[in-house]
Amino acid sequence: MKKIEAIVLASREKNILDALRKLEIGGLTVIPGKGRGQGPRNVQPGPGRYIEKYNDVVIFYIVVEDSKVDEIVSAIIEASHTGNLGDGKIFISTIDDVIDITTKQKGEKCI
C-alpha cells in the first residue's frame, strides 16, 4: 500500500476531485492550509519589514494499492498543473498496515 500526499493550490481542488472521481477514488482526506515552495518570495517593501507570502493550498491524503499509484499521480498532475511556480508537490510513501476502526479489520481490504 502507498500513501499519496499531494500539496496543491486550493484553486485546483475541484479539478483534482473531478479527476479522482473519474478514477472511482472515493477514500481520501482533504485539508486546507497555507504554504510556499522554495522559489522566489514576494516581500512587502518597507524598512525592516520582511513578510512572507503564502499560497492557499489543500493537502490530499490518499491511501491505495500499489498498482493504482501511477494512475492517480498522473491524474493529480494533469488536474493541478498550471506551469507556474507553486503548482505543488506530491509525496509517495509506503504504508505498512491499515486498521479500520469501525470493523476492526486490518490490511488492504480496509482501503
Side-chain angles (χ1 to χ4, degrees), residues 6 17 67 108 111:
L17 288 171
S67 62
E108 255 187 36
I111 58 173

Side-chain angles (χ1 to χ4, degrees), residues 100-106 110:
D100 184 304
I101 295 172
T102 303
T103 64
K104 299 181 183 176
Q105 291 183 330
K106 292 178 75 173
C110 297

Side-chain angles (χ1 to χ4, degrees), residues 15-70:
N15 295 17
I16 294 166
L17 288 171
D18 290 346
L20 294 173
R21 197 171 294 117
K22 286 179 187 173
L23 296 177
E24 298 181 356
I25 302 301
L28 56 87
T29 301
V30 182
I31 299 174
K34 294 198 173 287
R36 63 176 165 77
Q38 297 177 7
R41 291 170 179 69
N42 296 321
V43 179
Q44 185 176 3
R49 295 190 50 114
Y50 180 77
I51 300 174
E52 293 287 352
K53 299 291 182 179
Y54 295 95
N55 293 320
D56 289 324
V57 299
V58 290
I59 306 164
F60 284 83
Y61 292 100
I62 308 165
V63 177
V64 295
E65 299 90 2
D66 291 5
S67 62
K68 294 184 178 181
V69 171
D70 290 340

Side-chain angles (χ1 to χ4, degrees), residues 81-88:
H81 179 264
T82 68
N84 297 316
L85 284 175
D87 276 350

